[in-house]
């Protein structure tokens, strides 16, 4: 899907000619060698050290230093939801490992946590959450 692609000018950008685009496009996921904005990793490390439950969604947990967050605190519960095996599956098997898609997992989880009205509001705000996320990541 090209829905989450943004225009950038670097060596990892691509030219999807099939879309008739003349500019470079690049997805918004974190790649090897990508830098995180200041403070994001430090805050994530602090939260990881204090959490009782960590849920890793849609990641192979193979890109450091973020992948190290899964093992930042010994004894916490780790749930990994991903289609493919990950580098941290051995840790997750001590708690939970879900081989599957993130969206159905989150919909099921949220339906257990929210009332029907709250769930409708959460699902209705999905597009707005994506806009906020994209703006924080420097997307369009």
């Amino acid at each position: 899907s090209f829905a989450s692609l943004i225009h950038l000018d670097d060596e990892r950008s691509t030219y999807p000619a099939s879309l008739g685009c003349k500019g470079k496009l690049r997805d918004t996921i974190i790649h090897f060698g990508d830098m995180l904005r200041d403070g994001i990793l430090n805050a994530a490390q602090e939260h990881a050290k204090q959490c009782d439950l960590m849920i890793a969604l849609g990641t192979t947990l193979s890109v450091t230093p973020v992948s190290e967050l899964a093992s930042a605190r010994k004894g916490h519960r780790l749930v990994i939801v991903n289609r493919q095996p990950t580098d941290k599956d051995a840790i997750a098997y001590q708690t939970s490992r879900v081989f599957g898609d993130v969206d159905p997992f989150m919909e099921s989880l949220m339906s257990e946590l929210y009332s029907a009205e709250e769930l409708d509001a959460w699902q209705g705000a999905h597009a707005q959450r994506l806009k906020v996320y994209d703006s924080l990541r420097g997307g369009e």
Side-chain angles (χ1 to χ4, degrees):
S1 166
F2 291 98
S4 65
L5 296 177
I6 58 174
H7 287 274
L8 291 175
D9 189 20
D10 68 14
E11 68 279 358
R12 291 180 301 235
S13 300
T14 60
Y15 297 95
S18 63
L19 296 178
C21 180
K22 295 179 179 150
K24 292 181 176 182
L25 294 176
R26 182 162 173 231
D27 59 50
T28 59
I29 64 172
I30 302 293
H31 292 274
F32 288 97
D34 285 355
M35 300 300 293
L36 294 173
R37 288 192 341 210
D38 292 339
I40 291 177
L41 182 59
N42 290 339
Q45 289 169 330
E46 288 305 312
H47 287 289
K49 290 176 188 174
Q50 297 174 27
C51 73
D52 295 320
L53 170 67
M54 180 181 295
I55 304 174
L57 300 169
T59 174
T60 60
L61 293 169
S62 58
V63 179
T64 60
V66 174
S67 63
E68 297 165 359
L69 296 173
S71 54
R73 178 173 180 210
K74 304 298 181 214
H76 76 285
R77 295 180 188 108
L78 173 64
V79 176
I80 297 175
V81 180
N82 198 53
R83 291 179 185 169
Q84 300 86 17
T86 76
D87 293 345
K88 304 294 183 183
D89 281 351
I91 298 170
Y93 282 125
Q94 298 168 11
T95 55
S96 295
R97 177 60 169 93
V98 178
F99 284 93
D101 293 327
V102 170
D103 286 346
F105 174 85
M106 286 304 298
E107 287 169 5
S108 178
L109 175 64
M110 299 311 277
S111 70
E112 294 296 321
L113 298 175
Y114 283 162
S115 69
E117 296 81 25
E118 291 170 321
L119 183 60
D120 286 343
W122 177 75
Q123 289 173 326
H126 182 256
Q128 182 59 34
R129 286 193 304 273
L130 289 179
K131 286 180 185 178
V132 170
Y133 172 76
D134 286 343
S135 72
L136 293 173
R137 295 267 306 150
E140 296 179 41

